[in-house]
Amino acid sequence: MQIDKLTIKSQEALQAAQRLAGERRNPEIDVEHLLLALLDQAEGVVPPLLQKLGVDAGRLRASVEARLDAMPAVQGQTGERGLSHS
């Protein structure tokens, strides 16, 4: 993937997802990491879009965090995390 071809907001979301995976010690960056990053993105398009669709962002966030809590975590030092293939 050529990150430099993405918008600035997309690059920021991917970096935040990578940081989140690192904080949670997950071996891969998965869809849930990216969704949580998009939900938390300042001035992003996702929160207002969800609001227009009538989605309860708090419930969605709690559901995503529960999925992240269930993901495997690695112990010890880890290398660079890659995107999952799912």
Side-chain angles (χ1 to χ4, degrees):
M1 176 187 323
Q2 294 179 321
I3 302 275
D4 60 324
K5 300 288 183 184
L6 300 175
T7 65
I8 298 298
K9 284 292 188 189
S10 297
Q11 290 177 33
E12 289 172 353
L14 283 173
Q15 289 170 350
Q18 183 178 28
R19 207 171 25 256
L20 181 60
E23 290 168 0
R24 291 178 167 268
R25 306 193 62 75
N26 301 127
E28 293 183 318
I29 304 164
D30 220 319
V31 174
E32 290 83 357
H33 296 102
L34 184 56
L35 180 54
L36 193 56
L38 289 169
L39 287 170
D40 291 342
Q41 194 172 50
E43 299 178 24
V45 298
V46 173
L49 179 62
L50 292 175
Q51 184 178 15
K52 283 187 179 186
L53 293 171
V55 175
D56 182 340
R59 282 184 61 188
L60 177 59
R61 188 177 209 301
S63 176
V64 171
E65 285 185 352
R67 298 253 334 220
L68 287 172
D69 289 342
M71 287 185 174
V74 294
Q75 300 299 319
Q77 288 188 322
T78 60
E80 187 173 324
R81 285 165 179 77
L83 297 172
S84 76
H85 296 285
S86 56

